[in-house]
Amino acid sequence: MTISVLVADDEALLRTAFTSLIDAEEDLQVVGQAADGKQAVELAGRLAPDVVLMDVRMPVMDGIEATALITGAATVSAPRVLILTTFDLDKYVFEALRAGASGFALKSRPLDELLSAIRIVAEGEALLAPSVTRRLIAHFSRASRVPPERRRDFGQLTEREREVLSLLARGLSNTELASTLHVSLPTVKTHVSRILTKLGARDRTQLVVIAYEAGLVSAP
């Protein structure tokens, strides 16, 4: 199945470079390009891409606001957003993750890593760059606890589901969860799916954000 991608960056040369790179892959296809956040929101609604490759700093509307609008529908079919950034410990990246982004990629890393990141985000199965993203989330959420009115109802989670969430927030994959909890992989996937539903999260990245903001896990 081909993964459709919308590229949003205010630098024309970068948009062209990313588009050429992505279109060269058999399983990836660029369906649109946006020069600012407002265009990204409009095209995402019209083209319904699987993934939006989103720069943070753009004119008219930045990538954070655009991400919030694109993912605001909170539906499974809504595009997943992959944030492009220059620095891994960037407060804007955390704000984008909080706004609904599924992960981020560094512009300075090899281009093949970007392709891998697009595929991972499209699958929604694993947290992108867990060691870096987890550190980023933990760093900023320590001083940014959510107010009571925005907190999720963790009381609806079973004891096992809370355990799964805690381990997931520390970066464990489904396979590692299964090994740690001594259960089958399908059982782990069922737990994760139920947690996503109960907490109203779109993917694993959002579960990590929720867990750190609520103080369920501490910084590594």
Side-chain angles (χ1 to χ4, degrees):
M1 182 178 293
T2 301
I3 298 171
S4 57
V5 182
L6 170 63
V7 178
D9 197 298
D10 61 332
E11 295 187 37
L13 288 178
L14 281 180
R15 290 200 307 274
T16 300
F18 289 141
T19 297
S20 298
L21 173 74
I22 295 169
D23 281 342
E25 300 294 303
E26 292 185 357
D27 62 330
L28 303 176
Q29 179 184 14
V30 173
V31 294
Q33 297 183 37
D36 58 58
K38 183 178 179 181
Q39 288 183 6
V41 173
E42 293 173 349
L43 290 176
R46 178 156 53 88
L47 302 175
D50 297 311
V51 176
V52 178
L53 194 59
M54 181 82 76
D55 189 22
V56 173
R57 298 170 180 84
M58 292 186 292
V60 184
M61 180 187 293
D62 64 32
I64 298 174
E65 184 178 354
T67 295
L69 291 173
I70 290 172
T71 63
T75 61
V76 176
S77 60
R80 298 186 185 280
V81 176
L82 175 63
I83 294 295
L84 285 170
T85 184
T86 304
F87 305 104
D88 58 359
L89 285 180
D90 186 332
K91 65 179 181 180
Y92 295 107
V93 174
F94 174 68
E95 292 303 321
L97 291 174
R98 173 183 274 172
S102 294
F104 74 95
L106 298 176
K107 291 183 178 181
S108 59
R109 300 299 298 165
L111 293 178
D112 61 334
E113 291 189 12
L114 175 62
L115 297 174
S116 176
I118 291 172
R119 295 183 177 102
I120 291 173
V121 169
E123 293 172 357
E125 289 296 331
L127 177 64
L128 182 61
S131 61
V132 177
T133 304
R134 198 169 65 249
R135 189 171 78 250
L136 176 81
I137 293 171
H139 177 76
F140 287 105
S141 62
R142 278 199 301 269
S144 183
R145 300 295 187 203
V146 294
E149 64 271 14
R150 287 183 51 201
R151 292 175 185 169
R152 309 297 175 108
D153 180 12
F154 292 99
Q156 60 186 316
L157 299 182
T158 65
E159 183 177 346
R160 175 47 66 96
E161 287 169 348
R162 290 174 68 95
E163 183 179 11
V164 169
L165 176 59
S166 177
L167 293 172
L168 184 153
R170 291 184 170 86
L172 271 67
S173 66
N174 282 350
T175 300
E176 291 169 332
L177 283 169
S179 176
T180 300
L181 299 173
H182 305 292
V183 297
S184 68
L185 193 57
T187 297
V188 168
K189 291 182 177 179
T190 297
H191 283 313
V192 173
S193 178
R194 288 175 177 170
I195 295 170
L196 286 167
T197 299
K198 289 182 178 181
L199 296 184
R202 294 187 61 243
D203 54 33
R204 296 168 69 98
T205 301
Q206 296 309 302
L207 287 180
V208 174
V209 172
I210 291 169
Y212 274 110
E213 285 189 327
L216 290 184
V217 287
S218 57

